[in-house]
């Protein structure tokens, strides 16, 4: 008996040792390295914090590909349409079990108004920061021997290249604590003044659902922080931001769940591991906003006018809970639904139902459900608060969790119960028609 007892600590030690994952070693295997000039305008590297992201080309800046700088907070309204008044739009009636219900569908009698409601407010690009050489735009053809690496563990992009035989090195980092990007640019060309920084501010955005650059109206260190904020605010020093951001990334990778498939003999394990790591980099940069969910293309470019889609919040944000990073989940839920609650209660009421009918394609300023043939009829976002609340409850199965979600869940349930229509022929409840 005595010898069995004394084995316990040894067994535990062995178990602990063989289970401990060297996260840094695994994460660091999947740095993104680029040794060719990218001419593909859909593949920037990114730094950012979920509310803000800065997208870079091979120069570690926005030099020859004018990638975007996007945030969760910078929105804009186009001029009002010339034909028609926004307040005349009331949706389009469709017969729904014997009564006319108005759905958020483009009104053929108010085409400009409908289009304006789809496209406003829209998210705007904050600006472009790039390199200028000898007073002119630096062309891709002038950038030789590019070697770029995103150090995933530390969140640092290092971009090296030559211009006219002179070496240039640019180090780019974001910040978790402010909407800033910091640069350190090392080159003889900075000292001679041949290499300069160019700032370019966009206006107005061109609206399309395809990837596009924004339109632009048209300083040698160099080390600087570029801080973007809705209100005047002093940027922290580059060194401060650099240190705290790398520390933030190290903490991010060290906390929450981690999947290690590196000892699998399956030849696909490496690619699976790469995707597990890089997708977590991406969600920290694009999917960790306060009180809102990302648009489909995150903070890389504007898809649907920068708006997001409420039926997609589960795959954009539920993972924070299942991966043990619930603070990011708590930054979004249930606040997002609470923001939409007044307009969603109103929407359901106008349509003749109880509770809250959640919007589809929207933003948190107006909560308006953007008119659309599918948008107006889509239903599968309605029960999502229940699923999300259940995920959160599994982590904290307390009365507080229930109370925190109560208003949102009750309004969700009230809507769903009143929306379902009892079909007396089949004896079942039908959803719609119409519905998508
Ligand atoms: C990734 O970057 C880190 C930091 O520079 C470095 O230590 C690591 O070796 C790199 N990984 C690879 C596979 O090169
Ligand atoms: C750009 O890269 C993406 C991802 O690799 C690829 O799907 C796309 O086809 C490329 N586009 C062009 C124009 O080469
Ligand atoms: C844009 O218009 C909406 C009303 O549709 C308003 O609530 C919002 O404050 C406006 N936003 C800006 C940035 O002007
Ligand atoms: C639009 O309609 C509202 C409500 O009827 C009215 O108060 C407003 O003056 C109208 N706006 C314009 C530009 O006609
Ligand atoms: C629904 O509205 C249409 C016109 O938009 C009207 O012709 C029809 O009679 C209405 N039906 C009911 C049941 O109110
Ligand atoms: C009721 O259900 C039956 C059987 O599924 C279906 O054929 C019928 O169209 C439904 N009635 C209505 C009004 O939707």
């Amino acid at each position: 008996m005595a010898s069995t007892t004394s084995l316990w600590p040894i067994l535990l030690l062995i178990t602990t040792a063989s289970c401990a994952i060297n996260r840094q070693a695994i994460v660091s295997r999947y740095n993104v390295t680029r040794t060719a000039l990218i001419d593909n305008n859909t593949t920037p590297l990114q730094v950012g914090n979920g509310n803000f992201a800065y997208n870079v080309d091979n120069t570690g800046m926005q030099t020859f590909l004018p990638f975007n700088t996007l945030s969760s907070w910078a929105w804009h309204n186009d001029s009002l349409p010339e034909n028609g008044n926004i307040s005349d739009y009331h949706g389009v009636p469709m017969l729904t079990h014997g009564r006319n219900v108005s759905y958020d569908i483009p009104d053929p009698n108010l085409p400009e108004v409908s289009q304006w409601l789809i496209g406003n407010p829209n998210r705007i690009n904050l600006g472009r920061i790039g390199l200028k050489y000898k007073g002119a735009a630096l062309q891709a053809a002038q950038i030789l021997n590019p070697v770029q690496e995103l150090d995933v563990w530390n969140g640092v992009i290092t971009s090296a290249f030559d211009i006219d035989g002179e070496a240039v090195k640019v180090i780019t980092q974001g910040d978790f604590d402010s909407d800033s990007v910091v640069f350190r640019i090392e080159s003889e060309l900075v000292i001679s003044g041949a290499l300069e920084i160019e700032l370019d501010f966009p206006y107005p955005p061109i609206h399309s659902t395809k990837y596009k650059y924004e339109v632009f109206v048209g300083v040698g260190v160099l080390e600087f922080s570029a801080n973007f904020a809705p209100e005047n605010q002093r940027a922290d020093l580059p060194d401060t931001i650099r240190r705290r951001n790398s520390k933030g990334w190290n903490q991010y990778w060290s906390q929450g769940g981690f999947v290690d498939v590196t000892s699998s003999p399956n030849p696909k394990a490496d690619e699976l591991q790469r995707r597990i790591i890089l997708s977590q980099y991406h969600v920290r940069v694009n999917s960790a906003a306060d009180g809102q969910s990302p648009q489909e293309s995150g903070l890389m470019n504007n898809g649907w006018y920068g708006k997001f889609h409420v039926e997609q919040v589960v795959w954009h944000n539920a993972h924070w809970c299942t991966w043990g990073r619930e603070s990011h989940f708590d930054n979004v839920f249930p606040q997002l639904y609470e923001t939409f609650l007044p307009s969603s209660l109103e929407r359901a009421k106008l349509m003749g139902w109880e509770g809250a009918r959640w919007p589809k394609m929207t933003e948190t300023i107006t909560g308006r459900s953007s008119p659309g043939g599918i948008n107006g009829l889509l239903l599968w976002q309605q029960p999502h608060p229940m699923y999300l609340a259940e995920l959160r409850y599994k982590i904290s199965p307390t009365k507080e969790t229930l109370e925190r979600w109560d208003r949102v869940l009750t309004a969700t349930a009230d809507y769903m119960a009143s929306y379902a229509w009892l079909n007396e022929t089949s004896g079942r409840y039908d959803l719609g028609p119409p519905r998508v």
Side-chain angles (χ1 to χ4, degrees), residues 160-353:
F161 47 94
D162 297 333
I163 303 173
D164 276 349
E166 293 285 352
V168 181
K169 185 162 133 187
V170 179
I171 297 170
T172 314
Q173 279 183 261
D175 188 15
F176 286 169
D177 293 7
S178 69
D179 296 342
S180 303
V181 53
V182 294
F183 305 94
R184 182 192 183 96
I185 305 167
E186 299 168 4
S187 175
E188 285 296 323
L189 296 174
V190 170
I191 295 162
S192 71
L195 202 58
E196 295 174 291
I197 305 301
E198 180 170 39
L199 305 179
D200 210 352
F201 298 99
Y203 192 88
I206 290 180
H207 296 131
S208 93
T209 56
K210 293 226 171 84
Y211 183 84
K212 41 94 202 29
Y213 305 129
E214 307 290 356
V215 174
F216 293 85
V217 298
V219 198
V221 219
L222 287 124
E223 181 169 80
F224 65 100
S225 315
N227 172 246
F228 295 85
E231 273 142 30
N232 195 6
Q233 165 175 320
R234 184 189 290 265
D236 283 323
L237 291 172
D239 198 44
T240 309
I241 292 178
R242 266 203 301 270
R243 270 186 285 115
R244 82 168 166 230
N245 190 238
S246 283
K247 198 167 154 218
W249 275 107
N250 298 167
Q251 272 166 1
Y252 173 72
W253 291 116
S254 304
Q255 291 163 355
F258 198 91
V259 174
D260 173 7
V261 297
T262 54
S263 54
S264 165
N266 190 311
K268 292 181 177 159
D270 182 56
E271 177 58 12
L272 178 61
Q273 187 73 59
R274 188 183 76 89
R275 292 184 189 199
I276 291 170
I277 299 299
L278 293 185
S279 58
Q280 288 182 78
Y281 184 86
H282 273 124
V283 293
R284 184 64 187 84
V285 170
N286 296 285
S287 257
D290 295 321
Q292 60 182 277
S293 195
Q295 59 174 319
E296 288 174 323
S297 48
L299 293 168
M300 189 183 89
N301 72 286
N302 282 333
W304 301 95
Y305 311 95
K307 296 184 181 184
F308 67 91
H309 298 263
V310 179
E311 81 282 12
Q312 300 183 23
V313 303
V314 169
W315 52 67
H316 282 306
N317 302 103
H319 61 86
W320 292 126
C321 240
T322 53
W323 281 75
R325 296 193 174 115
E326 59 272 12
S327 67
H328 294 300
F329 182 94
D330 293 343
N331 285 341
V332 182
F333 304 118
Q335 186 193 330
L336 179 67
Y337 289 109
E338 285 167 343
T339 305
F340 293 145
L341 197 52
S343 54
S344 299
L345 289 166
E346 182 67 13
R347 181 178 301 111
K349 193 173 160 194
L350 285 171
M351 298 174 91
W353 288 299

Side-chain angles (χ1 to χ4, degrees), residues 93 95 98-100:
L95 209 52
R99 63 188 184 89
N100 277 323

Side-chain angles (χ1 to χ4, degrees), residues 92-101:
V92 171
M94 292 179 82
L95 209 52
T96 306
H97 293 299
R99 63 188 184 89
N100 277 323
V101 173

